[in-house]
Amino acid sequence: MTVMWILQIYLKDTCRIVNGLLKTALGPTPGSTTTLSPAQDITFRYESVKCLVSIIKSMGSWMDHQLKIGDSYLPKSSESDTSTENTSIPSGEDGIVSDYELHPEVNSEVSDAATLEQRRSYKIELQKGVSLFNKKPSKGIEFLINTNKIGGSPEEVASFLKRATGLSETMIGDYLGEREEFSLRVMHAYVDSFNFKGMDFGEAIRFFLRGFRLPGEAQKIDRIMEKFAERYCKCNPNSFTSADTAYVLAYSVIMLNTDAHNSMVKDKMTKADFIRNNRGIDDGKDLPEEYLGALYDQIVKNEIKMNAISSAPQSRQVNSLNRLLGLDGILNLITGKQVEEKPLGANGLLIKHIQEQFKAKSGKSESIYHAVTDAAILRFMVEVCWGPMLAAFSVTLDQSDDKLATSQCLQGFRHAVHVTAVMGMQTQRDAFVTSVAKFTYLHCAADMKQKNVDAVKAIISIAIEDGNHLQEAWEHILTCLSRIEHLQLLGEGAPTDASIFSGSNVEIDERTQKSMGFPSLKKKGSLQNPSMMAVVRGGSYDSTTVGVNSPGLVTSEQIYHFISNLNLLDQIGNFELNHVFAHSQRLNSEAIVAFVKALCKVSISELQSPTDPRVFSLTKLVEIAHYNMNRIRLVWSRMWNVLSDFFVSVGLSENLSVAIFVMDSLRQLAMKFLEREELANYNFQNEFLRPFVIIMQKSSSTEIKELIVRCISQMVLSRVSNVKSGWKSVFMIFTTAAADERKNIVLLAFETMEKIVREYFPHITETEATTFTDCVKCLLTFTNSKFNSDVSLNAIAFLRFCALKLADGGLVSDEMSGFDGLSSSEANEDASKLQSSTEKDDHASFWVPLLTGLAKLTSDPRSTIRKSSLEVLFNILKDHGHLFPRPFFIGVFSSVIYPIFNVASDKGDILVKDDQDLRASQPPQPEAHTWDSETAAVASQCLVDLFICFFDVVRSQLPCVVSILTEFIRSPIQGHASTGVASLLHMARELRSQLSEDEWREIFKALKEAAAITLPSFMKVLRIMDEIEIPDGSQSDADIEINSEHGSINEDDMDDDKLQTAAYVVSKMKSHITVQLLILQVVRDLSQICIQSLSASNIEIILDILSSVASHAHELNSETILLKKLQKVCSALELSDPPMVHFENESYQNYLNFLQGLLRDNPFASEMNTESHLVEVCTKILRIYLNCTVSQQKPGKETRAIHWILPLGSAKKEEVAARTSLLVLALRMLSDLERDSFRKYVSNFFPLLVDLVRSEHGSREVPHLLGNMFKSCIGPVIMH
């Protein structure tokens, strides 16, 4: 309480003094009397202002003095570190390791030396080099290389630095952080010599920092930590999304280590603080809290020993170390948030500290003066006196033109800004800065006086001296600088920036430019254009555009004052203006970000001016970016986040000229930025080029898009060796261009893509696999170009070129054998399996996007693209498949090849799956197939060729391949079916000797399934005809029965819907018969290929196929009512009849031929009772034939005994003639039976032979065969 009372009494006295000085400075109030003369009053006011200035100045001086105490223990130079180190380094030979440890190669030579003197001389030189290194590292390394004590390669120097003793750890860190080329290569070799594989991140940093001390320059630390992050991610590729995450986390760990292990840090960082500070650092996502929590515990429990400034007192070490590492303010940039500024220690701890001092000295009777050393106490004084000071300075500056008085006021403003800015008093700081900015009168130049010019100078001084603490106040200062430059341009008669943005009124612009010189400004008429009148009229300080809304012309007096005031501004030269921007390099991390934010706001205000758009701040932004491009990555990244948003917003401006100017400025920055080399696994180039991507995607301007394509082309082709993560943005831009609706943009982008792929392909694949994926996606987008088929075809050709380059580069190596753990069953599931398997190896991941992209093109609506993509895809696999391990190749089949045929099959399947709606309406129209017959032929042939070529590797895929081919065979499209037959037979012939019994079984099972799978749906289609009534013809039923002649109907006798439905059934029946016959053909040909090696189980499958198809054919021919309906419909619609009899004949002929071949060539025939089976089939054929030769009884009439055979009608005769060939085949096979076999089975078919003798035949061959059978076969049996 005593302390608070003393402090309050002191502040009250201060307040009284300041308020008294304020009243004196403002003079007597109006209406009051004074005994002072006017001269005395002025002098009294001036002295009062001077006192106020002295007070605020003394506050600032005391504050500076107290704050500089905290820096007194900082090392003044690197030599101070060296001197400290040298005290701990033993002199003489004790400071050097043994010759063998230091340089074994040289040691072997020295050990062979003839004399001890040579060894001593070598050691002295080596010690000299080490001593020189500890003073000047680069000189020491140069000496050691020149004297052959170490090798001259970066790797050898790095090994020396890592293993030699006696070297200053501080100097090692300093040397590793240098930016000279050789030192940089040594640092890279040094970091690459570490193996962090399997290490926890915290342990990796600890292990890394144990051999040297971090240098004292932020840029040096940045280079080292950047390389460390890259190396850690290379050793642990699945640890983070990118090296950017490791880089930021490394800084966070170092800051945590500093915070946790210094006793003078009272408010320790908690685990929650650490987790919060690192949110969003993993490419916008959060790292797991458990991971960050474990890392926090590890660092807090076990300090990382960096020993940065071991000799400094701990009370200073926190601030010193942070400054040494360049970490002050960086944490705010990591999280992207600005921490609220807090007073320097102005809290309860300060009051408690002062109270303890009073208590300690309270027992002494003598007068005591208490010296306060904490600058935060000053805050209380400023809070009570800033208001009166602001009022005194402002009123005096506004009312007085006395040079001494105004000068004192401006000095007061400068000191007040300094104190409030450093103390973090944002409101007070902004109030003082805004007041000075308003007193510049740049917003109404016609009223400007010398004191206003002095205010401009004060603003520039504030910017240079206190820039680190201005934060949001920068916007006021930069607005003033923008207005100064504008007025100077007018005074010099230079053309305004508006001429850059307007493409019209060229003559008016030229006349305006010619009339802008100083001599012509005195002419009244020359200033009456809207832009000039707005400047002369002026406006309020806060108005965005000066004088726009002020009506009327300017007066002669305004023009005169304006011209004279322009002369006053000559005192402000370009050097002073530019110095503010050049000085930005010296701003700290937070200040430069605030500076860039403010400059972006001012630039947008300039560009959006309706009367006089300007580019001053925009050009300064480009300069600022150039000046600060060498800042550490964290700071530059934060700056670029601000600049990127600015360039995007302005680049999408409706004013085309503004947008073009901005894009050109962005191009200049990008060209400069790409001069810097980017390490692996980082993503900053991609972030830097992102504005181009966003504008390219969102802009509707052809000119802007074309400009972006040209800019990117120029940048990439000129800096191709430095492009790393930037490839992603480059390909995104070209992908957008490829999908553009303007031909010139597409062709321009493809021209560059062609050059990139042809000439710079290795640069694409040297980065991560996703870059190559983006390249492939870009080329695939070009294949969809609708302007030029050559572009599409060339893009496909480049995809094959990419495959060739991948193979030549050895990207697929023995490492891919790691896929062996992937089972074939897993590989057969879906595309995700292939992608997941490639995660085990980077090389495979290059092939996945290429192959899957080509696979997608096979469903392109353009025939040439489909065929070209199919050929390229399978040629790639055929040419380079030997590079793929078995699991990967199997994955290619399941994830790339099979989906191609599935898509085609899904889109082309016109088999009826559900006929519920067919009964009530006409049949659905089939979908158009994605593939035409030519494409299907190419696809199936390529598939079979690939499978044959790599049969030993992918033989497990035989069932799937056969399934695809049988899908072709049972396709309703004739061309597809023929293709499937040819391909399957080709595969069987080529692999006949390699196929096992089980593999043959798979083939025949697939054919069996193909024959049976369509039967249910087909029979449903046939049942449609049951509900369709077909009117009878003119003939009677008796005539039809006797003569077997069907009547005719007209189309008018049936509804159109019924006719179309019946026609659909006819079409489906023909297609079905064709498919069944093709399956029989394949079975026949395949059985001939392997007839001698057919196993009993495979024979059974083939017999099942032949039997089922033959039975099905006979069943169809037994549907007499259905057949008559179909015949009448075909007659009415003039369609050919379905080949029903031919179907049945072919079925049984194939059946018989196979049985005969078995009897002749296969050893299993006798075991399987093949002979009995043959007789059974022949007997069935005889019965079928006999049924055709007998006149059928009309249903519903009584059956009567027939005592004579009626002659056959014409239709029956045609059917008998059609079946004669099958009968002849059956009779011959029965005749060919051996005598014992014939005797064994003759009783089964003898009655049928007798009936055949009595029947009418359409061929003389039948009676002839029957006669021979009775004579040569049956006769001997009877005689026996």
Side-chain angles (χ1 to χ4, degrees):
M1 292 300 296
T2 303
V3 175
M4 292 301 298
W5 176 77
I6 294 175
L7 186 58
Q8 290 173 6
I9 295 299
Y10 174 71
L11 293 178
K12 286 179 181 178
D13 290 340
T14 303
C15 186
R16 290 192 190 99
I17 294 171
V18 173
N19 282 324
L21 291 172
L22 170 64
K23 292 178 181 178
T24 306
L26 296 180
T29 57
S32 61
T33 59
T34 179
T35 59
L36 298 175
S37 65
Q40 291 174 327
D41 182 55
I42 292 174
T43 302
F44 205 34
R45 291 188 185 188
Y46 170 73
E47 292 298 330
S48 300
V49 170
K50 191 175 179 180
C51 271
L52 289 172
V53 173
S54 298
I55 291 173
I56 191 66
K57 181 179 179 181
S58 64
M59 290 180 179
S61 298
W62 180 83
M63 177 189 70
D64 291 342
H65 177 70
Q66 299 303 319
L67 293 179
K68 285 179 181 178
I69 292 177
D71 297 336
S72 61
Y73 288 94
L74 280 175
K76 300 300 181 183
S77 64
S78 59
E79 285 77 14
S80 62
D81 288 338
T82 307
S83 61
T84 304
E85 284 297 322
N86 288 339
T87 61
S88 61
I89 298 174
S91 60
E93 296 180 3
D94 295 336
I96 310 298
V97 293
S98 66
D99 297 340
Y100 180 78
E101 289 177 341
L102 192 58
H103 206 291
E105 298 85 355
V106 177
N107 179 69
S108 63
E109 298 175 5
V110 175
S111 63
D112 297 332
T115 65
L116 183 63
E117 185 64 29
Q118 289 177 321
R119 294 173 59 85
R120 184 172 179 277
S121 175
Y122 167 79
K123 234 175 186 183
I124 291 173
E125 282 191 345
L126 187 58
Q127 181 182 342
K128 180 179 179 182
V130 171
S131 178
L132 187 58
F133 177 89
N134 290 337
K135 295 178 181 177
K136 188 79 172 175
S138 57
K139 295 292 184 182
I141 294 295
E142 183 180 357
F143 174 82
L144 290 169
I145 292 175
N146 291 338
T147 56
N148 295 321
K149 297 301 175 291
I150 59 175
S153 68
E155 291 75 15
E156 290 173 296
V157 175
S159 178
F160 171 77
L161 296 178
K162 193 173 182 181
R163 292 176 173 82
T165 59
L167 298 177
S168 166
E169 293 181 353
T170 302
M171 289 297 104
I172 294 175
D174 194 63
Y175 180 75
L176 292 176
E178 292 293 339
R179 64 179 303 173
E180 283 74 16
E181 182 179 356
F182 185 75
S183 300
L184 199 61
R185 290 166 59 195
V186 170
M187 184 268 285
H188 284 194
Y190 182 89
V191 179
D192 287 336
S193 67
F194 287 88
N195 183 10
F196 300 122
K197 187 173 183 179
M199 277 193 183
D200 180 76
F201 189 75
E203 289 303 318
I205 292 183
R206 191 186 311 278
F207 179 57
F208 176 62
L209 294 178
R210 71 182 185 180
F212 68 97
R213 295 177 184 173
L214 286 173
E217 186 180 334
Q219 281 79 7
K220 291 184 178 182
I221 299 174
D222 184 64
R223 282 189 283 272
I224 295 173
M225 299 313 294
E226 184 179 9
K227 179 61 182 177
F228 163 77
E230 182 218 33
R231 180 62 182 169
Y232 183 82
C233 289
K234 274 189 176 180
C235 294
N236 302 277
N238 298 321
S239 55
F240 302 111
T241 302
S242 67
D244 298 271
T245 307
Y247 169 77
V248 175
L249 189 59
Y251 269 101
S252 294
V253 167
I254 293 174
M255 295 175 70
L256 172 63
N257 188 72
T258 305
D259 178 271
H261 297 288
N262 192 282
S263 59
M264 295 306 295
V265 177
K266 301 300 182 184
D267 297 327
K268 298 289 187 182
M269 186 187 301
T270 65
K271 184 182 295 187
D273 293 334
F274 183 71
I275 294 173
R276 181 175 59 254
N277 291 341
N278 288 284
R279 282 178 182 164
I281 67 173
D282 192 26
D283 196 21
K285 303 186 291 293
D286 293 342
L287 291 173
E289 289 192 9
E290 298 79 8
Y291 177 82
L292 291 175
L295 183 59
Y296 175 89
D297 293 336
Q298 184 184 39
I299 301 301
V300 170
K301 292 177 182 177
N302 188 6
E303 179 185 1
I304 299 175
K305 302 288 185 180
M306 289 184 291
N307 300 323
I309 307 294
S310 59
S311 61
Q314 280 193 328
S315 60
R316 313 299 180 191
Q317 199 167 356
V318 180
N319 188 37
S320 300
L321 185 56
N322 279 343
R323 296 193 181 205
L324 175 69
L325 299 179
L327 300 179
D328 47 334
I330 289 181
L331 182 60
N332 299 337
L333 302 176
I334 293 176
T335 59
K337 301 174 183 177
Q338 183 172 327
V339 180
E340 180 184 358
E341 294 184 34
K342 297 180 180 179
L344 301 179
N347 49 34
L349 290 175
L350 174 63
I351 303 300
K352 184 177 180 180
H353 176 64
I354 298 174
Q355 186 175 7
E356 290 174 353
Q357 288 183 335
F358 277 120
K359 288 181 178 180
K361 299 180 181 181
S362 59
K364 300 179 182 180
S365 59
E366 68 273 11
S367 298
I368 300 173
Y369 293 92
H370 299 277
V372 181
T373 57
D374 196 326
I377 196 69
L378 190 63
R379 182 183 182 92
F380 301 111
M381 299 176 63
V382 176
E383 284 179 345
V384 299
C385 66
W386 76 272
M389 287 184 177
L390 177 63
F393 298 153
S394 298
V395 172
T396 304
L397 190 58
D398 183 51
Q399 296 179 354
S400 174
D401 291 330
D402 181 71
K403 184 172 181 60
L404 291 176
T406 56
S407 177
Q408 284 294 327
C409 290
L410 291 174
Q411 285 292 325
F413 273 118
R414 288 179 59 182
H415 292 304
V417 169
H418 174 65
V419 172
T420 54
V422 174
M423 297 297 296
M425 305 173 71
Q426 180 178 341
T427 303
Q428 292 83 349
R429 176 200 66 203
D430 291 349
F432 283 111
V433 172
T434 304
S435 297
V436 180
K438 288 181 178 179
F439 279 119
T440 61
Y441 268 53
L442 294 168
H443 51 286
C444 48
D447 301 327
M448 187 179 290
K449 300 177 182 179
Q450 180 60 45
K451 64 179 180 180
N452 305 116
V453 177
D454 294 336
V456 172
K457 296 178 182 178
I459 279 286
I460 294 175
S461 298
I462 289 171
I464 294 174
E465 294 170 4
D466 296 301
N468 282 333
H469 311 287
L470 290 175
Q471 297 298 327
E472 291 82 1
W474 268 116
E475 186 176 352
H476 299 288
I477 294 176
L478 294 175
T479 299
C480 290
L481 299 183
S482 171
R483 289 173 175 174
I484 293 170
E485 190 269 349
H486 191 199
L487 294 173
Q488 286 180 339
L489 282 180
L490 294 177
E492 294 170 359
T496 63
D497 293 340
S499 60
I500 301 175
F501 302 126
S502 60
S504 58
N505 302 325
V506 178
E507 295 180 359
I508 296 175
D509 291 342
E510 290 178 352
R511 289 197 301 269
T512 303
Q513 293 174 20
K514 292 178 180 178
S515 63
M516 293 289 281
F518 253 101
S520 61
L521 282 176
K522 297 178 181 179
K523 299 179 181 179
K524 177 180 178 181
S526 65
L527 291 172
Q528 298 305 322
N529 66 71
S531 176
M532 293 297 298
M533 286 192 297
V535 176
V536 174
R537 280 196 301 266
S540 66
Y541 170 78
D542 295 324
S543 60
T544 304
T545 305
V546 177
V548 173
N549 299 321
S550 302
L553 299 176
V554 296
T555 64
S556 300
E557 185 178 1
Q558 286 177 309
I559 294 174
Y560 174 78
H561 284 298
F562 177 72
I563 294 173
S564 62
N565 291 340
L566 289 180
N567 291 322
L568 287 175
L569 283 177
D570 286 345
Q571 301 173 46
I572 311 296
N574 286 331
F575 174 78
E576 286 79 3
L577 269 178
N578 293 329
H579 186 48
V580 175
F581 298 100
H583 190 265
S584 66
Q585 298 176 85
R586 301 183 182 180
L587 296 177
N588 64 31
S589 302
E590 291 181 90
I592 186 60
V593 176
F595 182 87
V596 171
K597 284 182 179 179
L599 192 55
C600 287
K601 289 182 181 179
V602 175
S603 179
I604 289 177
S605 176
E606 289 179 353
L607 293 169
Q608 293 177 347
S609 171
T611 59
D612 192 14
R614 297 168 54 234
V615 296
F616 169 72
S617 296
L618 175 58
T619 56
K620 292 302 177 184
L621 275 172
V622 177
E623 290 180 18
I624 293 302
H626 279 198
Y627 291 148
N628 293 274
M629 200 167 281
N630 289 326
R631 284 184 180 265
I632 66 172
R633 181 178 296 274
L634 283 174
V635 179
W636 174 245
S637 178
R638 184 62 178 154
M639 285 175 57
W640 186 248
N641 286 339
V642 178
L643 290 170
S644 178
D645 293 341
F646 166 79
F647 281 119
V648 169
S649 63
V650 182
L652 295 173
S653 170
E654 295 180 359
N655 188 324
L656 180 61
S657 299
V658 171
I660 290 176
F661 193 91
V662 168
M663 295 313 300
D664 186 65
S665 301
L666 185 58
R667 177 193 61 81
Q668 296 175 44
L669 277 179
M671 288 291 287
K672 181 72 175 175
F673 181 78
L674 286 178
E675 293 177 0
R676 303 175 62 183
E677 184 178 359
E678 184 179 62
L679 298 177
N681 297 314
Y682 281 93
N683 196 42
F684 195 53
Q685 282 185 358
N686 181 41
E687 294 294 327
F688 191 93
L689 297 177
R690 185 168 293 175
F692 286 109
V693 178
I694 298 174
I695 296 173
M696 185 74 185
Q697 293 173 342
K698 293 184 177 181
S699 178
S700 58
S701 169
T702 304
E703 293 82 357
I704 291 297
K705 289 190 172 185
E706 185 173 343
L707 177 61
I708 290 175
V709 172
R710 292 187 184 278
C711 287
I712 293 297
S713 300
Q714 179 190 2
M715 284 187 290
V716 171
L717 297 181
S718 61
R719 300 280 190 268
V720 66
S721 60
N722 286 347
V723 180
K724 296 293 186 296
S725 66
W727 283 118
K728 184 175 183 65
S729 291
V730 170
F731 290 131
M732 288 179 68
I733 290 168
F734 287 150
T735 300
T736 305
D740 199 82
E741 297 180 353
R742 282 146 287 210
K743 182 177 180 180
N744 61 320
I745 294 177
V746 175
L747 296 180
L748 185 64
F750 187 73
E751 182 181 349
T752 305
M753 274 298 298
E754 180 178 4
K755 187 166 243 181
I756 290 173
V757 175
R758 283 190 184 277
E759 301 179 15
Y760 306 117
F761 185 81
H763 293 287
I764 300 173
T765 54
E766 72 179 0
T767 56
E768 55 184 343
T770 54
T771 303
F772 182 74
T773 304
D774 295 329
C775 177
V776 170
K777 287 180 180 178
C778 185
L779 289 172
L780 290 172
T781 308
F782 277 111
T783 62
N784 296 320
S785 173
K786 60 184 178 181
F787 300 110
N788 193 332
S789 61
D790 290 340
V791 170
S792 301
L793 294 175
N794 284 338
I796 294 176
F798 283 137
L799 290 172
R800 183 172 185 178
F801 179 81
C802 289
L804 181 63
K805 289 292 186 181
L806 283 176
D808 290 345
L811 292 178
V812 180
S813 64
D814 294 337
E815 295 177 11
M816 291 180 65
S817 61
F819 290 130
D820 292 339
L822 186 67
S823 66
S824 59
S825 61
E826 289 173 332
N828 289 329
E829 291 183 4
D830 54 29
S832 63
K833 293 296 182 184
L834 178 62
Q835 187 64 42
S836 62
S837 69
T838 60
E839 293 176 1
K840 301 180 183 179
D841 189 88
D842 289 337
H843 299 311
S845 59
F846 285 107
W847 290 97
V848 173
L850 179 62
L851 299 177
T852 54
L854 283 168
K856 290 178 182 178
L857 279 177
T858 58
S859 60
D860 192 276
R862 295 165 293 177
S863 175
T864 55
I865 301 301
R866 289 199 306 270
K867 287 189 291 184
S868 178
S869 59
L870 277 169
E871 291 172 351
V872 169
L873 172 61
F874 282 97
N875 284 338
I876 288 173
L877 293 173
K878 194 171 181 180
D879 294 342
H880 310 303
H882 63 280
L883 299 172
F884 303 152
R886 183 190 304 270
F888 182 78
F889 213 149
I890 291 174
V892 169
F893 265 79
S894 62
S895 303
V896 177
I897 296 177
Y898 297 153
I900 294 175
F901 295 93
N902 290 339
V903 170
S905 176
D906 292 344
K907 293 186 177 180
D909 187 7
I910 61 172
L911 295 175
V912 178
K913 295 183 175 69
D914 188 354
D915 70 323
Q916 293 179 355
D917 298 331
L918 293 178
R919 299 176 183 271
S921 63
Q922 66 184 54
Q925 297 298 317
E927 297 181 38
H929 202 284
T930 304
W931 286 353
D932 54 20
S933 298
E934 188 177 358
T935 306
V938 171
S940 61
Q941 186 62 46
C942 288
L943 173 63
V944 169
D945 288 344
L946 179 66
F947 185 75
I948 293 172
C949 184
F950 295 98
F951 178 70
D952 291 337
V953 177
V954 296
R955 69 186 306 157
S956 63
Q957 300 303 298
L958 178 67
C960 297
V961 174
V962 173
S963 176
I964 290 173
L965 296 179
T966 54
E967 285 289 335
F968 276 110
I969 293 173
R970 66 186 186 87
S971 170
I973 301 175
Q974 183 62 36
H976 292 189
S978 302
T979 294
V981 171
S983 299
L984 184 57
L985 292 176
H986 173 63
M987 183 181 71
R989 289 191 184 99
E990 292 294 327
L991 299 174
R992 74 168 79 183
S993 61
Q994 300 180 57
L995 293 174
S996 66
E997 178 185 340
D998 292 337
E999 288 167 339
W1000 278 112
R1001 185 181 300 112
E1002 291 292 342
I1003 295 176
F1004 290 125
K1005 277 185 176 180
L1007 290 170
K1008 181 180 179 180
E1009 182 182 357
I1013 196 170
T1014 59
L1015 293 182
S1017 60
F1018 173 70
M1019 296 308 295
K1020 287 183 180 180
V1021 173
L1022 288 186
R1023 298 283 70 84
I1024 298 173
M1025 293 299 296
D1026 294 343
E1027 299 181 5
I1028 298 178
E1029 296 294 332
I1030 305 295
D1032 291 337
S1034 56
Q1035 290 183 298
S1036 64
D1037 292 342
D1039 293 335
I1040 295 174
E1041 178 184 342
I1042 295 173
N1043 299 313
S1044 299
E1045 295 175 350
H1046 60 270
S1048 61
I1049 60 172
N1050 297 321
E1051 293 187 34
D1052 297 337
D1053 297 336
M1054 293 182 63
D1055 295 338
D1056 289 340
D1057 290 347
K1058 291 183 178 180
L1059 275 177
Q1060 290 185 16
T1061 302
Y1064 173 70
V1065 174
V1066 171
S1067 173
K1068 291 298 297 179
M1069 179 171 282
K1070 291 180 179 179
S1071 298
H1072 176 72
I1073 291 172
T1074 302
V1075 170
Q1076 295 291 314
L1077 290 176
L1078 283 172
I1079 292 174
L1080 288 177
Q1081 176 190 341
V1082 175
V1083 171
R1084 179 195 66 201
D1085 294 343
L1086 290 177
S1087 62
Q1088 290 175 357
I1089 292 173
C1090 62
I1091 188 69
Q1092 296 179 355
S1093 59
L1094 279 176
S1095 64
S1097 59
N1098 288 340
I1099 291 174
E1100 289 180 0
I1101 296 174
I1102 296 175
L1103 290 175
D1104 286 344
I1105 297 173
L1106 297 174
S1107 174
S1108 63
V1109 174
S1111 299
H1112 174 59
H1114 179 64
E1115 181 184 351
L1116 290 180
N1117 276 284
S1118 301
E1119 298 270 357
T1120 55
I1121 297 176
L1122 172 65
L1123 293 179
K1124 287 180 180 180
K1125 285 184 178 182
L1126 293 177
Q1127 288 172 350
K1128 290 180 180 181
V1129 169
C1130 291
S1131 175
L1133 297 176
E1134 298 182 350
L1135 299 174
S1136 61
D1137 293 343
M1140 306 294 293
V1141 176
H1142 174 72
F1143 178 32
E1144 189 173 6
N1145 284 345
E1146 286 293 319
S1147 302
Y1148 279 105
Q1149 282 181 11
N1150 281 285
Y1151 203 173
L1152 290 175
N1153 289 331
F1154 177 71
L1155 291 171
Q1156 187 181 39
L1158 283 179
L1159 285 172
R1160 183 177 64 249
D1161 301 321
N1162 193 277
F1164 294 100
S1166 58
E1167 299 177 8
M1168 300 184 65
N1169 294 323
T1170 305
E1171 201 170 53
S1172 172
H1173 203 156
L1174 176 65
V1175 172
E1176 181 183 349
V1177 175
C1178 290
T1179 302
K1180 189 172 184 179
I1181 292 172
L1182 296 181
R1183 288 195 179 98
I1184 293 172
Y1185 183 86
L1186 286 172
N1187 287 338
C1188 295
T1189 61
V1190 177
S1191 298
Q1192 297 180 5
Q1193 184 74 20
K1194 181 177 171 58
K1197 293 194 174 184
E1198 296 180 2
T1199 303
R1200 295 172 295 176
I1202 299 177
H1203 301 286
W1204 65 89
I1205 299 175
L1206 296 176
L1208 298 176
S1210 59
K1212 279 290 184 180
K1213 287 182 179 180
E1214 290 178 5
E1215 183 179 356
V1216 167
R1219 294 181 181 274
T1220 298
S1221 61
L1222 180 60
L1223 175 65
V1224 169
L1225 178 63
L1227 291 174
R1228 283 178 177 170
M1229 287 190 177
L1230 291 174
S1231 301
D1232 292 340
L1233 291 173
E1234 295 181 1
R1235 179 170 297 183
D1236 293 340
S1237 298
F1238 190 88
R1239 182 183 297 110
K1240 179 180 179 181
Y1241 297 111
V1242 69
S1243 60
N1244 295 338
F1245 54 81
F1246 181 77
L1248 299 176
L1249 295 178
V1250 174
D1251 289 341
L1252 283 174
V1253 173
R1254 298 192 307 165
S1255 299
E1256 180 180 351
H1257 304 289
S1259 171
R1260 295 180 181 180
E1261 188 176 6
V1262 176
H1264 180 69
L1265 279 173
L1266 287 172
N1268 287 338
M1269 284 187 68
F1270 277 99
K1271 180 178 179 181
S1272 60
C1273 298
I1274 298 177
V1277 171
I1278 296 174
M1279 295 300 295
H1280 180 73

